[in-house]
DNA sequence: TTATAAATTATTGTATACAACATGTTTGAC
DNA sequence: GTCAAACATGTTGTATACAATAATTTATAA
C-alpha cells in the first residue's frame, strides 16, 4: 500500500471530531506512535497537517494540544458555514445540471425515508449526503471543498442537535423548501433558505451553551 | 530559539506564492533541505502543512508538487473570496467598534497617500492592511482568519493586476464607498460594495487568462 | 536504429538516535 | 514548615540511517 500518513491523519482527526481526544487535551507523540503501531515520524507529520487546518495547536517545545476555541468561535464557524452554504445554494440554483437534479431528488428521497423511520442515525448520514450534492451542484469546486471541510469540522456540534426536540422533521421540511428553490432556479430564495437552515443550527448550539453555562453557574454558586 | 518549522513553512509558502516555485514544479526534499540548511525532517513537516491547506499535493512515492489548479479554480477562489469579504463588510457595518473606526480611517488615509504618490508597491501593502482592518472589524475571528488566508492565497494573482490600466485609482475610489457604507452601518450596501470590489479582480483575472489563451492559440496555429 | 528489459540510481517514507529544553522531584537552607 | 535550587526524568525537535519503490540508464535483441 502507498503512503499511510493520510490514514493516520484521518484517524487522529476522527478521534478529535468524535471527542475521543477532547478539546484542550495534549497529544503525546510517543503514546500516539504506540497506539497506531508506527514511529513518531509519521505521527508528527499527521499532527503538522492537523495544525495547518487549525484542529490542533503546537506550543513550542510543549507539543500539540487539541484546539479549544470556546463556544464563541464555534458559533462564528456556524455563521461562516451558513454564508457559504447560502452561496452554494444560490450557485446551484443558477448552474445545476440535469444530473444534479436527479442526484438532489434521490438524496432528498433517502432523507425522507430516514425521517419516516425516525432513524436519526440514518438521517444524519443522508443529510450530509444531501448537502454534499448541493455543494457539487454549485459547479464551484473550491467552494465545494470549503463547504465540505467546514461541514466536517462542525460535525460534532451538529450531532448534538438532531435528537433534541424534533429537529429531524423540521430539518426535512427545510430541505423541501431548499430543493424547490434550487430546482426553480431561484437563486436568492435558495440562498436564504440554506442560510436560515444552517444558521438555526448555530443558534441552537448557542442556546445549548447558554443553558449549560447557566447550569454551571448555579452549580458553582449553590451548596 | 523556538520551533523553526513555522519559518520554514512560511519560507516555502512564500516561494510558492511569489512564483519562485512554479505551479506543477516538483519540490525535492533533499534540495530544499540543502537550500535551507536543515535536514529533510523539518522540510517534510513544512510540506505536510502546505499540503493540508492545498498549496501542494503529495503523489504517493513521488513527492510533493506545487498545486496547479488551472485558471477556473483560481476564479472560483475569487468568487468565494468576494462572498466572504462581503460578509465581513456587512458584519463590520453592524458591529464595528469606535477603535475599528479610527483604524479604518487610518488605513484609508495611508492608501490615499500611496495612491497620491502613484506608488503601486506601497498601495499594494496598504490595501492589504485596509482589508485586514475590515476583517477584524467584523468581530468574527473565524471569518477573519478565513479571509486572511484566502487573501494571502490569492495574492500572486492580484499582484498582476494593480499596475495595469489605472486599477489603483479605481480601487481607491471603491475603498471610499466601502468605508462610507461600513461607518454608516449600512450592512447590505457594505456587502455589495465589497463583493463588487473583489469580484472585479476575479473578472480581471479571467480576462487576463482569456487573452493569454488567445495569444497562445494564435501562436500554435500560426507559422 | 528503435524498442524492450535488466540493472543502476535516486528519492521517498519510516525508524531510530540524539541533543535541547521543559517539567517534576528531591535535597538543602532558612 | 516553606521556599529555592539542583538534579533527574521525560518530551520535543532535528539529524541520520535504512528499506521500499519509482525514475533513469544501460544493455540487448529485433
Amino acid at each position: 500500500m502507498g503512503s499511510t500518513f493520510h490514514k493516520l491523519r484521518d484517524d487522529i482527526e476522527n478521534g478529535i471530531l468524535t471527542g475521543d481526544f477532547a478539546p484542550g487535551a495534549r497529544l503525546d507523540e510517543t503514546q500516539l506512535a504506540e497506539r497506531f503501531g508506527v514511529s513518531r515520524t509519521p505521527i508528527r507529520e499527521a499532527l503538522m497537517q492537523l495544525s495547518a487546518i487549525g484542529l490542533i495547536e503546537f506550543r513550542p517545545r510543549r507539543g500539540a494540544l487539541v484546539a479549544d476555541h470556546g463556544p464563541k468561535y464555534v458559533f462564528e464557524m456556524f455563521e461562516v458555514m451558513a454564508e457559504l452554504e447560502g452561496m452554494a445554494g444560490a450557485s446551484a440554483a443558477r448552474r445545476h445540471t440535469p444530473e444534479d437534479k436527479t442526484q438532489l431528488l434521490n438524496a432528498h428521497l433517502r432523507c425522507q425515508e430516514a425521517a419516516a423511520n425516525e432513524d436519526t442515525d440514518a438521517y444524519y448520514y443522508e443529510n450530509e449526503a444531501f448537502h454534499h450534492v448541493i455543494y457539487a451542484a454549485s459547479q464551484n469546486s473550491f467552494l465545494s471543498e470549503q463547504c465540505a471541510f467546514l461541514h466536517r469540522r462542525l460535525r460534532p456540534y451538529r450531532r448534538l442537535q438532531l435528537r433534541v426536540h424534533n429537529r429531524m422533521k423540521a430539518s426535512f421540511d427545510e430541505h423541501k423548501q431548499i430543493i424547490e428553490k434550487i430546482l426553480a432556479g431561484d437563486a436568492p430564495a435558495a440562498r436564504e433558505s440554506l442560510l436560515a437552515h444552517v444558521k438555526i443550527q448555530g443558534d441552537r448550539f448557542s442556546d445549548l451553551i447558554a443553558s449549560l453555562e447557566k447550569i454551571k453557574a448555579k452549580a458553582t454558586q449553590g451548596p
Side-chain angles (χ1 to χ4, degrees), chain A:
Chain A
M1 155 171 35
S3 48
T4 168
F5 55 77
H6 284 108
K7 203 178 75 61
L8 261 181
R9 181 180 67 84
D10 290 346
D11 282 351
I12 299 177
E13 179 175 327
N14 216 42
I16 294 172
L17 261 34
T18 61
D20 204 355
F21 303 110
R26 260 198 65 222
L27 294 170
D28 189 295
E29 298 174 2
T30 310
Q31 281 181 23
L32 288 172
E34 279 180 27
R35 174 168 177 160
F36 290 105
V38 296
S39 81
R40 275 178 53 224
T41 308
I43 293 288
R44 267 194 133 242
E45 292 177 349
L47 292 181
M48 288 295 177
Q49 294 185 68
L50 295 179
S51 82
I53 59 179
L55 252 160
I56 70 179
E57 282 173 20
F58 269 90
R59 307 286 263 269
R61 285 274 164 200
R62 300 190 59 192
L65 306 183
V66 178
D68 187 11
H69 317 287
K72 179 172 184 298
Y73 194 80
V74 175
F75 182 72
E76 290 170 359
M77 287 171 65
F78 272 111
E79 282 192 315
V80 174
M81 173 99 247
E83 200 83 11
L84 288 180
E85 290 247 4
M87 180 185 178
S91 189
R94 283 192 224 95
R95 320 207 269 229
H96 72 271
T97 66
E99 300 96 279
D100 290 328
K101 179 176 176 177
T102 62
Q103 292 266 42
L104 270 171
L105 292 172
N106 285 340
H108 189 54
L109 266 178
R110 284 195 291 273
C111 284
Q112 189 168 30
E113 275 182 47
N117 297 341
E118 294 189 7
D119 183 342
T120 52
D121 285 336
Y123 187 84
Y124 181 77
Y125 178 78
E126 298 300 347
N127 172 62
E128 208 153 274
F130 177 77
H131 281 267
H132 275 77
V133 173
I134 295 177
Y135 305 158
S138 75
Q139 312 295 337
N140 182 324
S141 53
F142 179 73
L143 174 62
S144 185
E145 286 165 20
Q146 293 294 311
C147 284
F149 172 73
L150 247 184
H151 195 87
R152 187 169 180 187
R153 193 104 163 56
L154 288 170
R155 189 152 56 188
Y157 306 103
R158 248 180 300 115
R159 192 162 232 159
L160 298 169
Q161 301 172 35
L162 264 187
R163 284 158 227 267
V164 298
H165 295 0
N166 57 344
R167 177 79 195 116
M168 186 168 64
K169 188 82 180 80
S171 168
F172 179 72
D173 290 341
E174 289 162 21
H175 281 198
K176 201 178 157 192
Q177 298 293 322
I178 290 165
I179 213 169
E180 276 174 17
K181 313 297 186 195
I182 290 178
L183 294 183
D186 188 343
R191 176 192 300 271
E192 288 309 316
S193 313
L194 263 161
L195 200 91
H197 178 61
V198 177
K199 207 166 195 334
I200 206 173
Q201 299 175 73
D203 292 340
R204 283 188 182 262
F205 173 76
S206 284
D207 295 346
L208 181 66
I209 295 301
S211 61
L212 288 179
E213 297 283 330
K214 213 184 270 181
I215 291 169
K216 209 194 294 176
K218 271 211 179 107
T220 54
Q221 194 187 30

